[in-house]
Amino acid sequence: MFDLLKVAAHGLFPRLLMGAAALLGATAAQAAYPERPVRVIVPFAAGGGADIVARLVFKGVGEQLGQSFIIDNRGGAGGIIGTDAVAKADPDGYTLLLGQSGPNAINPAVYSKLPYDARKDFAPITQLTSYPYVVAVKNKLPVANLRELIELAKREPGTLTLSTAGQGSSSHLAVELFTRQAGISVIPVPYKGAGPALLDVVGGVVDMTFGDAASASKQAEAGNVKALAVTGSRRSPLLPNVPTVQEAGLPGYEASAWHAVLAPSGTPQPVIQTLHAAIVKVLSDPQLKARLAQDGIETVGSQPADFQRALETEIDKWKKVVDEAGIKLE
């Protein structure tokens, strides 16, 4: 009793009550999240792969949390515009980013200046997906497997042409990593997108490409190209008989693209945890897995800390490739 009277005499008791009330109020507010629609910025145009993934995943998240998740497409500048908008948004959980390997891991390596810091300006929530590229060559190229392709490139250095989805794109850097590890030299031919890059391999205009699994597998099944390997750490379900680059003779090689969900740095942890739990539950749905598998995409659902470590590893990995290749974009 004496202690309580002493506390009250010093005016501490009212302050303790006020602090407890504030804490309870903050907890209640966070527990109610989300109380209004959440905006998910996709830094690419509608209809593309990132947009499709965002709409599939956040439809389910909205059902889980009983609130609307509105997809906001803000394409332009290789994903920089939309990504920067999230970096500068209020960290309240009501603006999220559909991240991708390009804007979040590769742009920091290829651009000398970015309006955002990919390591510090975002709170990781989870990696959604992972998907490989397919090493596809034109039918008339006299090779039957990846080892023969590497041997041909070594016999005729600087003569084989290889189309990419654009200078500094994810597929371009996957190519640069491949040529350095294989010790070969090719002529990169940048296109405005993976589709045109693959079509010119089908037409025999260029010798090969690193294409997306969905499109390249269809062309391979139709007999229009030869699929020699996939760039991921394991085989693609779309091409189960096609080995990985590692299996085909280049140990240690791995290059995969991915999607992820991030929030502005400083977003409260209870909000991050609520979103993470809902997203991971959606990713476990067999129907969603089957739908994404049609495009050669696998679901992941990592913990926030694990994704942050993976992201920083990716940034360092591609920075080394970019520096060695002398690639810079302004």
Side-chain angles (χ1 to χ4, degrees), residues 60 100 168 223 252 273 296:
Q100 200 167 13
Q273 292 163 6

Side-chain angles (χ1 to χ4, degrees), residues 77 80 84 88 103 106-118:
I80 292 174
D84 184 50
K88 292 177 171 55
I106 289 177
N107 282 354
V110 298
Y111 285 93
S112 57
K113 292 182 180 180
L114 281 177
Y116 58 86
D117 187 324

Side-chain angles (χ1 to χ4, degrees), residues 136-281:
V137 303
K138 66 182 183 182
N139 283 330
K140 291 184 178 180
L141 200 69
V143 298
N145 53 56
L146 191 70
R147 192 179 298 275
E148 290 182 3
L149 174 64
I150 293 172
E151 290 172 353
L152 175 62
K154 287 183 176 179
R155 288 196 309 270
E156 303 176 12
T159 60
L160 296 179
T161 53
L162 196 156
S163 58
T164 72
Q167 180 80 351
S169 65
S170 298
S171 65
H172 178 204
L173 294 199
V175 168
E176 293 290 350
L177 180 64
F178 172 75
T179 57
R180 272 155 181 73
Q181 290 193 9
I184 61 175
S185 173
V186 300
I187 303 172
V189 183
Y191 281 71
K192 292 183 178 180
L198 177 61
L199 288 177
D200 268 6
V201 177
V202 173
V205 178
V206 292
D207 295 315
M208 55 183 167
T209 192
F210 278 38
D212 70 84
S215 300
S217 64
K218 291 176 183 177
Q219 295 292 353
E221 289 171 0
N224 296 327
V225 297
K226 292 183 282 190
L228 303 186
V230 295
T231 64
S233 59
R234 54 181 175 267
R235 297 190 182 196
S236 170
L238 295 181
L239 295 165
N241 296 322
V242 175
T244 65
V245 171
Q246 294 186 41
E247 291 174 323
L250 201 60
Y253 179 90
E254 193 276 332
S256 297
W258 44 263
H259 302 100
V261 182
L262 305 98
S265 179
T267 300
Q269 278 303 307
V271 172
I272 298 291
Q273 292 163 6
T274 296
L275 288 166
H276 179 269
I279 293 168
V280 169
K281 187 170 183 179

Side-chain angles (χ1 to χ4, degrees), residues 40-41 43 50 53-54 58 96-101 104 124-131 257-263 279 302 307 311:
V40 181
I41 293 181
V53 169
F58 281 100
L96 305 177
L97 174 68
L98 195 289
Q100 200 167 13
S101 43
N104 294 95
I125 297 175
T126 189
Q127 181 179 340
L128 294 175
T129 69
S130 177
Y131 54 101
W258 44 263
H259 302 100
V261 182
L262 305 98
I279 293 168
S302 58
F307 173 56
L311 173 61

Side-chain angles (χ1 to χ4, degrees), residues 6-18:
K6 188 175 181 181
V7 168
H10 285 80
L12 296 177
F13 197 64
R15 278 182 283 174
L16 288 172
L17 288 175
M18 289 174 62

